[in-house]
Amino acid sequence: MSPRRASRRRLVVVGNGMAGARLVENVVHHAPERFDITVIGAEPGGSYNRILLSGVLAGDRSPTEIVTHETDWYAANGVGLRAGEAAIAIDRAQRTVATDAGAAVPYDALVLATGSHPIILPVPGATLEGVVTFRDLRDVRRMVVASGAGGRAVVIGGGLLGLEAAEGLRRRGMAVTVVHLMPFLMERQLDEPAAALLRESLAQRGVAVVLSAETMAVTGAARASGVSLKDGRSLPADLVVMAVGIHPNADLARAAGLTCRRGVLVDDGLGTSDPAVFAIGECVEHRGRSYGLLGPIWEQAQVLAGRLAESDEATYPGSAVATSLKVTGIDVYSVGEFAMTAGSEEIVLEDCGRGAYRKLVIEQDRLRGAVLYGDVADGGWYFELIRAGGAIGTMRDGLIFGRTFARRAGDDKRPPPLGVAEVAAS
Amino acid sequence: MDGTDAASTRQAAIRTTCPYCGVGCGILAAPDRQDGATIVGDPDHPANRGRLCSKGAALGETLSLDGRLLHPEMHGRRTDWHTALQAVADGFQRIVATHGPDAVAFYVSGQLLTEDYYVANKLIKGFIGTANIDTNSRLCMASSVAGHRRAFGSDTVPGTYEDLEQADLIVLVGANLAWCHPVLYQRIAAAKAQRPGLRVVVVDPRSTATCDTADLHLPLRPGSDVLLFNGVLAALARDGRVDRAFVAVATENFEAALSAAVVTAGDVAAVAAGCDLDTGDVARFFALFAATERVVTVYSQGVNQSSCGTDKVNAIINCHLATGRIGRPGMGPFSVTGQPNAMGGREVGALANQLAAHMDFDRPDDVDRVGRFWRAPHIATRPGLKAVDLFHAVEAGRIRALWIMATNPVVSMPEADQVRRALHRCDLVVVSDCMRTTDTAGLAHILLPALAWGEKDGTVTNSERCISRQRSFLSAPGEARPDWWMLAETAKRLGFGEAFAYRSPADIFREHAALSAFENDGRRDFDLGGLATIDDAAFDALAPVMWPVPVDPAGARARFFADGRFYTANHRGRFVPVRPRPPANAPDGQFPLALNTGRTRDQWHTMTRTGKSPRLSLHAPEPLLDIHPADAAAGGLADGALARLRSRWGEALARVRLSPEQRRGVAFMPMHWNDQFAGAARVNAVINPVVDPISGQPEFKHTPIRVTPFAARWYGFALARRRPELDGIGYWVASLSDGFWRHDLAGEEPPADAWRTLRAALHRAGAGEWAQYRDATIGRYRGALVCRGRLEACLFVGPTPNLPPIDWLAGLFRAKSLSDEQRAALLAGQSGVGTVAAGPVVCACFGVGRLTIRAAITQHGLTTTAAVGAALQAGTNCGSCLPEIRALLAAVPAEAAD
């Protein structure tokens, strides 16, 4: 450990998830000498990649494989880690954070990266044994154990997490039914045709999907034994997974009197209503939006690290959002705004025979959103186009066919149409 | 094909005659025992000596049974021959009994064989008792017939094709030989190559491919031919070139004709002004004509299809009579016919104003003679109704039963929508045809399946009076039968069995020959007496022979009238004084342009046969309206845009092609397209029903029109293995490509609606799944119908008429299964990298495209057609495309210099 210097400021990061760990890594990288850093993390051990939990559930990876920062890493970089210790209060006047271990950790700058809570439906039986969420390694372990005996699982929620959970449980040998409130799957990322392809693909591998289905209760005496729906149906279940969404975990900030709405309110510098307190990740609300995806968190971590290091005055303008569904053999990619509004235009490519579908949304000659199903190779390119925000111009005609075609279409000088071309010199 | 194959082909080949134009080329046809045949030119036939044009060379591709009518039908339902023929006989009998014989009619065709023609003519004129039989030759030859008869007293073509090789000046008037009589054009081109002193003058308002070989092109004002040839006659007199001895001994009425010529065209400058020609060019032409003894004036539809067509013919003949340049080697007026057997029809007399075998109603002895020969119970004694009048009589209810044979008047008649109305109103419409679905067949009550070319057997006569055999080399499909058989069977059911007990075409031919010789004694030009007793084997083996063939071989001769003996009452050739008059309907403020019509190089008539050949269809997949750029600009028309043509009689749609060679004020559109191949391109619906007062031939070459932009909101293409029904689409043109139908499309409705309609139509025609692209804002849609990986159809709709290279698309249709890359490229509307577009086909024989030829010229520095031929084969077979290749050779260096 390097010797403490009076000039060093104390940076405390609450939350050792992907946002917190990423921020720390960036700060260490940008300004290794500027801060004494302490990370407070409620989960034991280092930080892991939550995105890959579905791979662990599916059995493609072991829990150790998804760890991004071992506890050694913190030590090696002079970062203090309080793992397995939850922050329970902030004293903004004293500039300390109280932990459930009884510590009061002082700070000059505080970053909240407290993540989100999984939403638990307020229905009877929601707290029964055998009802789990899909949020962390502990949830995954419970599902893996429950699936050991085979049996039936009902996953409530046909969004990204729910479908990944469903596919993971199927591969562990359970008979899985997905119950979804909306008329089509992944409605926040997909449009209806893409969702239909997805549903068909899931059906082919044996995942049943019940759409427009509102869950009224989890049934069962001691343990969950089923789910009953508003239309009167009841689905038997040995395991119930609630994957109906997340909401920002702003508990600590709210209790400390920081301005919060749905999440901790931050400005473009990712500062809260207290100049000494910052927030990033799923717990924040920025320009009215909260993000549950990796890309925006990376961007926030980078911007905030730069500002803390005083190496720049970078600001965070919000993110374009790209989503991939991590289900082996089902390629889905979604980026940007694709809900149709007045003034937006769509370009659609459907090749259902090949299980391929693409939709691009254009506004004022700029790409705003893309949904890809089947062949997602160009997703990254569309993401870049959306972020760059440039005019599409002559690329429009080939745009949906990907980078190669779009460039060609832009250059292409077509021969004149047949019949119009000189048919015969007469 | 290697030498062995060629030899075996010749052994198995059957000699027959081409079914297209009036050149009448000999063909060797070797059936391939599938659907087609190997076709080569007959090296021994005098018309072509082995040559063929692009259409003739592609005949083997047109023999499939697709679309054939194979069984009799009544009211859309299949029936048997007896029932159908009994219904025909009963219908005709009932109407004759109630309304008289003039209430029935036959409308026949230059596609019929002479034997079919003969039986039709005999049945209606001798037995039913009316002369209401007219032929579609009325539309192409009637003015020549009338002109011949006024001048010669008979419908006689005086010369032979060899005159073209022996002439020192060939004047081509209103005849685009390069496209319409390509083998004659090749003979002229070959003669000119051998004997560069041969001069060729083209007289045609249009600059056509034929001008390629011309020393002088006179692009005269439409319809001003009489003025020009009156000018020639006046100039001949001025220059002292009149053959006074011949005129005095062998002709009459010279002074009147000359006087009319001098009054109307005595001054070169006035002629030039009247014809809108350069005075120097006119003077050069007059001098050339005057100074050249051996001159042949070849003329065709530009002369005939006019309200003064007969006068034009006589204006030309006057010049030849005045100089005595007629019936001698290398000299004479020469009408070339449009159809394979227009001449045969004239010989049997199957026109309403002819009787039979060059005998006429205006000679009472003839009527009596024919009546006796036929033992006819009801011989017609006066002319019947000519085509245009005939269909008006049908509409008016004066004709109530009509039998249409081997022709398609709903497409080919002027004011064609009138014909449609007439057939709708007619009590009994019988159509005998080889095709099931034509614009005319769709209006028939009774459909009778006829034999097609390759199946039927008999004779035809070409433009030089040469009778050739058409022989069958394919078996009769389904229940199809010869036309003569249907007519004879109908005659039996009408109670005339004895006079129609023919067993074979040979039987009929002998009777036809005997009639021509009956009480002839040299009084009539047409005499086949020497063939009247030909036996069946000799008929089968009959070699091409030019008439006359009198009993006494001493009376045979190659040419007529050099002896100064004509077939008029006093045996003198008659000059006809003619005065120029403009086309009947002049353009005006409302209809400011004149519409001219004609053929394209690789289509024939209403496309029922040529439409089956992908190679031929590629030359011009769509009907194009050629228009001068200034006229187009005035009408707001862009090159490649669609336009609506309107006249007082009807309308049509076509794609605009800006053509600086086109005369100002005159547009041109081809005549072929019809409702089977296009949504609204029957150009004859636009044509005025004006006829020549003497010949009754319609003025197809001049109708005032207005051309306005067709306000397409979308353009499209549909390519499909199986032909879809495209009802409800504003503009569509179908053409057969290699393995798929191509449709060029456009419409005025929102593109999204068109997309849905078209997609549904294609899906009805073919099974599979759609892969599709849509950008509704732009209005661009592309789709591919794929069945088990194989491309069934593809559809492109967009704001501009662009299509990826057709040869690339054809490759996708050939593929057993589309790769992902091909699938994406198809929907992207982009060919794969490295594909080279061939462009529209120039050489139909070898399928060589315009872009390929241009590339070869540029890359290899080619400068001659021979070099292009050596590099690409293009132009080395039929030679029909040589003018186009020459134009490319001329254009490429010029473009490179730009």
Side-chain angles (χ1 to χ4, degrees):
Chain A
M1 192 176 274
S2 54
R4 180 175 291 246
R5 288 191 214 145
S7 64
R8 285 202 180 197
R9 302 175 69 218
R10 292 163 299 184
L11 173 65
V12 171
V13 179
V14 178
N16 194 22
M18 299 187 74
R22 182 74 169 199
L23 175 79
V24 170
E25 188 180 308
N26 284 345
V27 171
V28 168
H29 177 78
H30 281 299
E33 304 300 323
R34 185 176 296 273
F35 292 106
D36 283 328
I37 305 174
T38 303
V39 177
I40 303 169
E43 287 190 71
S47 182
Y48 61 86
N49 185 346
R50 206 179 298 278
I51 299 292
L52 298 179
L53 283 175
S54 57
V56 177
L57 176 62
D60 293 333
R61 296 165 193 271
S62 70
T64 53
E65 278 180 85
I66 68 168
V67 172
T68 57
H69 301 81
E70 304 280 356
T71 49
D72 296 355
W73 180 87
Y74 297 85
N77 287 280
V79 176
L81 175 62
R82 291 172 171 272
E85 190 174 340
I88 52 173
I90 303 166
D91 184 337
R92 288 165 55 204
Q94 296 298 319
R95 294 195 172 179
T96 58
V97 178
T99 75
D100 60 357
V105 185
Y107 66 85
D108 298 309
L110 173 64
V111 176
L112 300 176
T114 48
S116 61
H117 292 304
I119 294 173
I120 309 286
L121 288 178
V123 295
T127 55
L128 285 171
E129 189 74 13
V131 180
V132 298
T133 56
F134 184 23
R135 176 65 193 159
D136 53 29
L137 267 173
R138 199 177 49 140
D139 295 332
V140 170
R141 285 194 197 98
R142 288 163 67 189
M143 283 192 273
V144 169
V145 169
S147 67
R152 283 170 293 205
V154 169
V155 177
I156 302 172
L160 201 58
L161 272 182
L163 296 180
E164 289 181 11
E167 171 66 3
L169 293 170
R170 182 193 69 80
R171 289 185 50 197
R172 289 195 177 267
M174 298 194 80
V176 183
T177 300
V178 174
V179 171
H180 192 53
L181 182 63
M182 305 304 285
F184 59 92
L185 294 170
M186 285 181 71
E187 74 284 350
R188 290 176 60 192
Q189 289 86 20
L190 300 184
D191 63 356
E192 198 159 356
L197 285 170
L198 174 60
R199 185 186 180 190
E200 190 173 328
S201 185
L202 288 168
Q204 277 169 10
R205 32 180 91 200
V207 175
V209 175
V210 183
L211 295 173
S212 303
E214 186 176 348
T215 300
M216 297 306 288
V218 178
T219 53
R223 277 192 65 85
S225 63
V227 169
S228 64
L229 304 180
K230 190 176 187 180
D231 65 10
R233 275 185 290 178
S234 63
L235 306 169
D238 303 300
L239 175 69
V240 177
V241 180
M242 282 207 187
V244 293
I246 54 173
H247 63 78
N249 177 3
D251 300 350
L252 209 53
R254 193 171 278 118
L258 293 170
T259 307
C260 294
R261 284 189 201 143
R262 193 159 175 272
V264 185
L265 204 64
V266 294
D267 58 22
D268 287 359
L270 296 163
T272 67
S273 53
D274 180 337
V277 182
F278 304 85
I280 60 169
E282 291 178 340
C283 66
V284 308
E285 182 175 330
H286 172 258
R287 295 192 188 182
R289 293 184 64 185
S290 296
Y291 298 95
L293 295 159
L294 204 55
I297 292 171
W298 269 197
E299 288 169 20
Q300 291 169 5
Q302 176 152 6
V303 168
L304 182 57
R307 294 180 72 91
L308 290 172
E310 291 176 14
S311 59
D312 59 48
E313 287 296 314
T315 54
Y316 175 72
S319 292
V321 176
T323 314
S324 305
L325 180 67
K326 282 160 293 296
V327 171
T328 311
I330 300 180
D331 290 319
V332 176
Y333 187 91
S334 161
V335 55
E337 301 295 325
F338 55 85
M340 297 301 293
T341 57
S344 64
E345 306 158 2
E346 63 176 10
I347 303 176
V348 180
L349 176 66
E350 297 169 86
D351 193 347
C352 300
R354 289 202 303 127
Y357 173 87
R358 289 183 174 188
K359 178 167 102 169
L360 302 182
V361 176
I362 314 276
E363 277 175 32
Q364 295 175 336
D365 201 31
R366 278 158 178 79
L367 184 61
R368 291 287 184 233
V371 178
L372 312 183
Y373 187 94
D375 175 4
V376 299
D378 291 298
W381 182 59
Y382 294 131
F383 192 23
E384 285 311 310
L385 286 177
I386 290 169
R387 289 221 302 201
I392 290 158
T394 57
M395 283 200 305
R396 180 173 183 135
D397 194 29
L399 192 65
I400 205 164
F401 302 96
R403 188 195 297 254
T404 323
F405 277 104
R407 294 275 157 80
R408 210 190 290 159
D411 305 337
D412 202 13
K413 286 241 168 55
R414 304 275 184 83
L418 284 158
V420 180
E422 315 86 318
V423 166
S426 55
Chain B
M1 192 159 59
D2 64 28
T4 325
D5 281 351
S8 62
T9 298
R10 263 197 290 281
Q11 273 171 14
I14 289 172
R15 281 178 202 280
T16 183
T17 309
C18 180
Y20 292 126
C21 76
V23 178
C25 296
I27 276 176
L28 294 175
D32 61 10
R33 290 183 195 83
Q34 289 163 346
D35 244 1
T38 304
I39 301 290
V40 294
D42 181 351
D44 299 328
H45 197 284
N48 58 318
R49 300 281 174 214
R51 294 182 179 94
L52 284 180
C53 72
S54 50
K55 291 185 286 284
L59 270 168
E61 294 171 25
T62 67
L63 302 173
S64 80
L65 296 180
D66 292 349
R68 283 288 298 273
L69 175 64
L70 296 175
H71 304 281
E73 292 183 20
M74 283 174 62
H75 306 289
R77 294 220 184 119
R78 183 173 163 178
T79 185
D80 60 88
W81 268 112
H82 173 71
T83 307
L85 291 171
Q86 193 63 49
V88 174
D90 290 350
F92 271 71
Q93 202 152 40
R94 189 183 65 245
I95 288 164
V96 168
T98 315
H99 302 281
D102 288 337
V104 302
F106 290 173
Y107 184 65
V108 299
S109 163
Q111 300 281 313
L112 291 177
L113 302 183
T114 300
E115 293 72 20
D116 302 318
Y117 248 142
Y118 177 85
V119 176
N121 194 51
K122 178 180 175 183
L123 174 59
I124 196 157
K125 284 191 186 141
F127 291 77
I128 293 175
T130 176
N132 281 342
I133 175 171
D134 213 32
T135 159
N136 61 11
S137 295
R138 177 72 59 199
L139 311 181
C140 68
M141 293 316 309
S143 295
S144 281
V145 173
H148 286 161
R149 288 168 64 186
R150 285 207 301 191
F152 309 146
S154 59
D155 175 20
T156 313
V157 174
T160 76
Y161 293 158
E162 287 182 353
D163 292 329
L164 299 173
E165 278 112 7
Q166 293 165 348
D168 295 318
L169 170 64
I170 297 172
V171 184
L172 302 171
V173 191
N176 180 10
L177 290 197
W179 283 12
C180 303
H181 300 88
V183 167
L184 291 188
Y185 172 81
Q186 290 169 44
R187 286 178 68 157
I188 293 171
K192 196 164 162 52
Q194 206 172 39
R195 207 158 42 82
L198 169 60
R199 293 280 169 263
V200 177
V201 176
V202 170
V203 179
D204 195 317
R206 282 205 305 153
S207 177
T208 66
T210 303
C211 295
D212 182 57
T213 197
D215 298 286
L216 178 63
H217 173 213
L218 300 175
L220 79 177
R221 187 194 308 282
S224 64
D225 314 55
V226 168
L227 178 62
L228 184 70
F229 281 90
N230 272 359
V232 172
L233 185 60
L236 289 169
R238 274 200 308 275
D239 293 0
R241 298 287 181 170
V242 173
D243 183 339
R244 294 283 168 189
F246 184 82
V247 168
V249 173
T251 72
E252 63 181 6
N253 220 19
F254 172 69
E255 292 306 330
L258 179 60
S259 159
V262 170
V263 167
T264 59
D267 173 57
V268 175
V271 171
C275 296
D276 192 22
L277 292 170
D278 179 74
T279 308
D281 285 348
V282 173
R284 252 192 304 285
F285 171 54
F286 288 176
L288 200 54
F289 198 104
T292 312
E293 179 70 357
R294 289 171 175 254
V295 48
V296 176
T297 306
V298 177
Y299 57 93
S300 188
Q301 308 312 338
V303 166
N304 293 331
Q305 292 181 334
S306 161
S307 59
C308 59
T310 308
D311 283 356
K312 289 182 183 180
V313 169
N314 286 111
I316 292 168
I317 293 174
N318 284 347
C319 297
H320 285 270
L321 288 177
T323 49
R325 296 170 188 163
I326 189 164
R328 290 187 283 150
M331 301 177 217
F334 204 141
S335 147
V336 291
T337 66
Q339 297 203 73
N341 201 30
M343 292 286 277
R346 288 149 65 173
E347 287 153 20
V348 306
L351 287 134
N353 52 335
Q354 299 177 335
L355 178 52
H358 284 203
M359 287 180 271
D360 294 307
F361 289 109
D362 52 12
R363 294 168 183 157
D365 288 357
D366 282 355
V367 176
D368 173 63
R369 187 176 297 114
V370 173
R372 280 186 287 116
F373 180 85
W374 281 342
R375 296 196 193 97
H378 309 296
I379 187 79
T381 56
R382 55 191 159 83
L385 295 173
K386 302 186 186 96
V388 170
D389 294 338
L390 188 151
F391 283 101
H392 279 104
V394 172
E395 189 179 10
R398 282 180 280 123
I399 289 177
R400 291 165 176 265
L402 177 63
W403 185 342
I404 298 168
M405 295 172 214
T407 187
N408 199 354
V410 172
V411 182
S412 52
M413 286 289 291
E415 198 190 6
D417 290 344
Q418 186 274 328
V419 175
R420 177 171 283 169
R421 287 197 303 274
L423 296 184
H424 267 300
R425 294 206 45 193
C426 190
D427 291 349
L428 176 59
V429 178
V430 180
V431 172
S432 50
D433 206 301
C434 51
M435 298 304 289
R436 170 64 185 81
T437 309
T438 70
D439 295 9
T440 301
L443 299 170
H445 303 109
I446 301 177
L447 279 174
L448 303 175
L451 295 182
W453 182 79
E455 297 152 12
K456 55 188 181 181
D457 192 66
T459 61
V460 292
T461 307
N462 72 6
S463 297
E464 61 166 354
R465 290 175 278 107
C466 180
I467 297 171
S468 300
R469 292 275 282 110
Q470 260 196 27
R471 294 183 175 87
S472 63
F473 56 90
L474 298 168
S475 54
E479 295 182 84
R481 294 283 185 277
D483 290 279
W484 65 260
W485 178 87
M486 305 172 203
L487 287 157
E489 288 294 314
T490 304
K492 280 180 203 165
R493 286 166 175 79
L494 289 167
F496 310 126
E498 202 181 337
F500 291 86
Y502 306 113
R503 290 165 300 120
S504 68
D507 273 355
I508 303 164
F509 183 81
R510 281 187 287 267
E511 184 180 311
H512 166 57
L515 174 58
S516 75
F518 184 58
E519 299 173 3
N520 187 324
D521 305 320
R523 281 193 296 258
R524 305 192 299 270
D525 61 337
F526 181 63
D527 184 349
L528 301 182
L531 298 170
T533 55
I534 189 172
D535 64 23
D536 286 2
F539 179 76
D540 273 348
L542 185 67
V545 56
M546 284 172 67
W547 62 260
V549 191
V551 174
D552 178 1
R557 50 178 156 170
R559 297 178 179 83
F560 283 87
F561 310 138
D563 59 1
R565 195 181 143 75
F566 294 85
Y567 293 94
T568 51
N570 61 5
H571 304 302
R572 285 174 175 267
R574 264 195 305 259
F575 283 91
V576 180
V578 287
R579 287 172 177 273
R581 58 176 195 274
N585 290 306
D588 54 25
Q590 204 186 350
F591 299 98
L593 298 176
L595 177 66
N596 185 4
T597 63
R599 288 175 173 160
T600 62
R601 194 189 78 190
D602 286 354
Q603 292 296 346
W604 172 260
H605 282 191
T606 64
M607 305 168 70
T608 47
R609 196 187 336 263
T610 44
K612 285 182 170 182
S613 164
R615 280 193 294 165
L616 296 180
S617 297
L618 277 175
H619 181 252
E622 275 186 291
L624 301 179
L625 180 76
D626 282 325
I627 186 169
H628 190 277
D631 292 330
L637 304 164
D639 195 35
L642 296 173
R644 192 187 300 277
L645 297 71
R646 272 203 193 88
S647 72
R648 292 192 169 85
W649 298 272
E651 63 176 67
L653 300 176
R655 200 177 287 285
V656 171
R657 176 168 60 182
L658 298 189
S659 173
E661 295 89 32
Q662 197 67 26
R663 277 185 68 89
R664 286 288 310 267
V666 181
F668 178 86
M669 182 167 163
M671 63 183 234
H672 309 289
W673 276 269
N674 54 73
D675 291 357
Q676 310 307 313
F677 290 89
R682 276 185 314 131
V683 73
N684 286 331
V686 179
I687 298 299
N688 46 207
V690 169
V691 299
D692 179 286
I694 300 159
S695 70
Q697 179 157 357
E699 185 154 65
F700 284 105
K701 300 290 190 191
H702 195 280
T703 302
I705 58 164
R706 178 172 73 243
V707 185
T708 53
F710 175 77
R713 290 181 66 182
W714 60 272
Y715 297 87
F717 296 90
L719 312 181
R721 286 184 199 281
R722 272 174 282 187
R723 236 188 120 167
E725 297 284 335
L726 294 177
D727 296 339
I729 297 299
Y731 177 87
W732 63 265
V733 177
S735 57
L736 185 62
S737 284
D738 193 6
F740 58 91
W741 281 92
R742 164 182 170 177
H743 303 81
D744 293 74
L745 309 160
E748 295 167 303
E749 65 271 58
D753 296 351
W755 166 255
R756 274 191 296 277
T757 306
L758 289 164
R759 211 179 58 152
L762 288 169
H763 215 147
R764 275 195 298 277
E769 293 182 308
W770 277 101
Q772 55 197 18
Y773 163 81
R774 78 167 184 270
D775 184 346
T777 312
I778 305 288
R780 198 184 291 291
Y781 301 80
R782 303 190 195 97
L785 184 62
V786 181
C787 188
R788 281 183 241 110
R790 185 163 169 263
L791 183 60
E792 279 294 319
C794 58
L795 175 61
F796 301 77
V797 167
T800 53
N802 280 348
L803 182 69
I806 191 82
D807 30 6
W808 175 69
L809 292 168
L812 299 185
F813 274 95
R814 277 194 297 273
K816 275 207 186 83
S817 175
L818 291 187
S819 70
D820 285 358
E821 164 75 13
Q822 286 172 325
R823 227 162 142 133
L826 182 60
L827 294 180
Q830 297 178 14
S831 59
V833 179
T835 308
V836 178
V841 163
V842 173
C843 172
C845 296
F846 294 109
V848 187
R850 183 181 172 81
L851 298 177
T852 308
I853 295 173
R854 284 173 57 138
I857 292 171
T858 314
Q859 283 164 19
H860 307 299
L862 307 181
T863 54
T864 63
T865 53
V868 171
L872 301 169
Q873 284 187 291
T876 58
N877 185 42
C878 80
S880 304
C881 60
L882 288 173
E884 288 160 76
I885 295 176
R886 262 190 287 277
L888 285 170
L889 282 163
V892 170
E895 285 167 21
D898 285 348

